[in-house]
Amino acid sequence: MSFVLDCETMTASKPDLTTTAGKLADLRARQAEAQEPRGSEAVESVHEAGKSTARERVELLLDEGTFTETDALARHRVEEFGMDRQKYSTDGVVTGFGQIGGRRVCVFSQDPTIFDGELGEVYADKILKIYDLATKTGVPLIGIYDSAGPRFQEGIVTAAAYAKILRASTEASGLVPQIAVVAGNTSTLASLTVPISDIVIMTDDASVHLTTPEVVSKVTGVEATAASIGGANVHAQTTGLASLTAATDAEAISAARDVVSYLPVNNQAVSPLGTAAENPLDTEAPTLDEFMPDDDSVPYDVLGIINKVTDGDFYELKANYADNIVTGFAHISGRAIGVLANQPTSLAGCLNGAAADKAARFIRMCDAFNLPIVEFVDSPGFAPSTEEEHGNVTARAAALAYAYAEAQVGTVTVITRKAIGPSYVLMGSKNLGADFVYAWPTAQIALADAPTAAEKLGVDADEYADNNINPYVAAESGLVDAVIEPAATRKQVVEGLRLLERKVLHPRPKKHGNIPL
């Protein structure tokens, strides 16, 4: 969205600044200007485009009446290139703090009506102050993005400012949740902090791209648009950057409020409580005893298991990316958790590089913010293909192992059907670090499927399956804590998570490991 950057003149007479009344009038006039820095016509243009203003987005995000703005009267200090005639209040970004569901958060919202949301030095200082405020007070930071990148009139200092912001975002990572709501075209250097965020929510008409479409078109000779190189569909289905998409500003901001309700406010806080299910410890799910198909080649939707074991409020993330694995938040006995599951309706639950990336990133986010992880396993292994091997699937699988092995939160694994070879190892195995591993009697836990193992060993496949493709060999070896009736899964998981609230680990001192990226 682009706007003509004319300097607007004030027609009201100036107040008498020698009096207290005059000074108060002057303050109120300045505050009023900050509410609509480009005037009512700019606000109307935003509304005509079907969008909300930067300030309206903040007001939608926060509980009514809780927003406290910071640096509302900030203006840039540049005189060259006609900038002396274009000094608007807020300088293109609304910043401050408030509450979501009664929990405090910090927020910034980029304003495309001022210099297309381009960042200048004062603008950057405002964002840096909000990062500092969020990290030292330990509250989530929500950024609403709508920016064309650096402000060319201010030159190289804007690039230096982006470096400062990237450093601040990196330092905040793992300390407080960072949520990015991308509500417009966000390009060049402005796009770089979006992937550092823990959750990325995009409106359908928004985009995130490092190179402009004009440059892509010129270099490749193929016409490119913001949507084609970095639109919401691209990031929801191809790159996996978008955790959620929404049709409108209001829906995207509502999603951000939902996400905040599942996340602890910082890395020292416990997972938040929702509304506990009635008599959670006594609740079983008898229908799960009939859930699993007798034919192990028949797919089923794992969401049916997730919603029976949790409190029924599963909130899925990245549903359209690597849909052979499911990630999302839920409550169980009222406590927020992270859920990770193979999805047999896609690739028969096989893992691949994209699924490993999705799972590893999710595990690390949950671990950073003390969300216990519950995994549901049904995977025959990795999908074999030349494309996967050329796509560095080995390193991506190792990154998944790294993320799980490094996790310090409570972890519970439920093997519902297949846990074969690499999938057994990587999907929350006992020796990788799972605190509790439960298996249904339908579980098939083995190094390889029966035909593969029988061919390798020169034995009958049916006989091998009868003796080895079951949960009991693993249980006898202590690799499974218990073989349980499916109906008892919720009770077992609840009991395990209650004990794991007391889990304490003392990792070996080091700066950090070197995850295979």
Side-chain angles (χ1 to χ4, degrees), residues 212-283:
T212 65
E214 294 77 15
V215 171
V216 173
S217 299
K218 182 177 181 180
V219 172
T220 65
V222 178
E223 184 178 356
T225 65
S228 70
I229 63 174
N233 284 339
V234 171
H235 290 305
Q237 300 176 21
T238 305
T239 70
L241 174 63
S243 309
L244 298 160
T245 60
T248 65
D249 288 359
E251 290 178 17
I253 288 166
S254 177
R257 288 180 59 89
D258 290 339
V259 167
V260 168
S261 72
Y262 286 97
L263 289 170
V265 292
N266 57 55
N267 67 330
Q268 299 297 313
V270 298
S271 59
L273 286 169
T275 302
E278 185 177 356
N279 299 320
L281 290 180
D282 298 328
T283 300

Side-chain angles (χ1 to χ4, degrees), residues 247-318:
T248 65
D249 288 359
E251 290 178 17
I253 288 166
S254 177
R257 288 180 59 89
D258 290 339
V259 167
V260 168
S261 72
Y262 286 97
L263 289 170
V265 292
N266 57 55
N267 67 330
Q268 299 297 313
V270 298
S271 59
L273 286 169
T275 302
E278 185 177 356
N279 299 320
L281 290 180
D282 298 328
T283 300
E284 294 192 351
T287 56
L288 286 180
D289 280 347
E290 292 82 42
F291 186 88
M292 190 63 65
D294 291 332
D295 184 346
D296 67 6
S297 66
V298 174
Y300 61 86
D301 189 345
V302 75
L303 296 181
I305 298 176
I306 293 171
N307 285 318
K308 291 290 185 182
V309 175
T310 67
D311 294 349
D313 62 345
F314 181 60
Y315 196 85
E316 188 170 1
L317 303 174
K318 301 190 179 183

Side-chain angles (χ1 to χ4, degrees), residues 39-93:
S40 59
E41 289 185 5
V43 173
E44 291 171 5
S45 295
V46 172
H47 291 167
E48 288 171 2
K51 306 292 285 183
S52 303
T53 66
R55 187 173 299 279
E56 288 168 343
R57 289 166 176 168
V58 172
E59 291 168 350
L60 284 170
L61 176 69
L62 301 177
D63 296 346
E64 186 176 356
T66 65
F67 180 49
T68 298
E69 189 169 0
T70 59
D71 294 312
L73 304 182
R75 303 172 191 263
H76 70 77
R77 299 178 290 269
V78 180
E79 301 295 323
E80 296 85 359
F81 309 109
M83 294 289 283
D84 56 325
R85 300 187 301 276
Q86 303 178 70
K87 294 192 174 184
Y88 304 109
S89 293
T90 73
D91 199 44
V93 62

Side-chain angles (χ1 to χ4, degrees), residues 17 24 36 39 41 54 74 111 131 140 156 160 168 191 235 269 275 281 283 335 363 382 397 441 445 453 490 517:
L17 297 182
L24 283 171
E36 296 182 352
E41 289 185 5
D111 185 351
Y131 268 103
I156 192 62
S191 69
H235 290 305
T275 302
L281 290 180
T283 300
R335 179 70 70 185
I363 289 168
F382 271 76
I445 305 170
R490 175 180 166 87
L517 299 175

Side-chain angles (χ1 to χ4, degrees), residues 121-404:
E121 190 173 11
V122 171
Y123 179 131
D125 287 343
K126 290 180 65 173
I127 291 180
L128 288 167
K129 287 168 71 174
I130 285 298
Y131 268 103
D132 182 58
L133 190 62
T135 54
K136 70 185 180 185
T137 59
V139 302
L141 176 63
I142 302 166
I144 303 176
Y145 287 81
D146 195 345
S147 171
R151 195 176 294 172
F152 271 68
Q153 294 92 331
E154 298 194 32
I156 192 62
V157 296
T158 60
Y162 273 118
K164 291 180 182 178
I165 291 172
L166 284 166
R167 184 174 181 180
S169 181
T170 301
E171 291 175 346
S173 181
L175 291 178
V176 296
Q178 296 182 67
I179 299 169
V181 178
V182 185
N185 293 330
T186 302
S187 61
T188 67
L189 289 171
S191 69
L192 291 179
T193 50
V194 173
I196 298 177
S197 301
D198 301 294
I199 300 290
V200 176
I201 304 166
M202 294 184 67
T203 59
D204 288 344
D205 60 352
S207 64
V208 177
H209 43 91
L210 185 58
T211 310
T212 65
E214 294 77 15
V215 171
V216 173
S217 299
K218 182 177 181 180
V219 172
T220 65
V222 178
E223 184 178 356
T225 65
S228 70
I229 63 174
N233 284 339
V234 171
H235 290 305
Q237 300 176 21
T238 305
T239 70
L241 174 63
S243 309
L244 298 160
T245 60
T248 65
D249 288 359
E251 290 178 17
I253 288 166
S254 177
R257 288 180 59 89
D258 290 339
V259 167
V260 168
S261 72
Y262 286 97
L263 289 170
V265 292
N266 57 55
N267 67 330
Q268 299 297 313
V270 298
S271 59
L273 286 169
T275 302
E278 185 177 356
N279 299 320
L281 290 180
D282 298 328
T283 300
E284 294 192 351
T287 56
L288 286 180
D289 280 347
E290 292 82 42
F291 186 88
M292 190 63 65
D294 291 332
D295 184 346
D296 67 6
S297 66
V298 174
Y300 61 86
D301 189 345
V302 75
L303 296 181
I305 298 176
I306 293 171
N307 285 318
K308 291 290 185 182
V309 175
T310 67
D311 294 349
D313 62 345
F314 181 60
Y315 196 85
E316 188 170 1
L317 303 174
K318 301 190 179 183
N320 296 316
Y321 176 72
D323 60 357
N324 47 326
I325 202 157
V326 172
T327 57
F329 304 127
H331 289 92
I332 186 163
S333 190
R335 179 70 70 185
I337 63 167
V339 177
L340 180 66
N342 301 116
Q343 177 56 282
T345 62
S346 178
L347 294 178
C350 284
L351 293 170
N352 57 10
D357 290 344
K358 177 178 173 180
R361 175 75 169 164
F362 181 73
I363 289 168
R364 286 172 70 83
M365 177 181 64
C366 290
D367 187 52
F369 299 115
N370 304 317
L371 284 179
I373 300 168
V374 178
E375 291 198 31
F376 297 93
V377 182
D378 184 356
S379 175
F382 271 76
S385 75
T386 301
E387 291 77 15
E388 281 293 308
E389 296 297 338
H390 289 183
N392 204 16
V393 68
T394 304
R396 297 163 89 178
L400 173 54
Y402 192 110
Y404 198 91

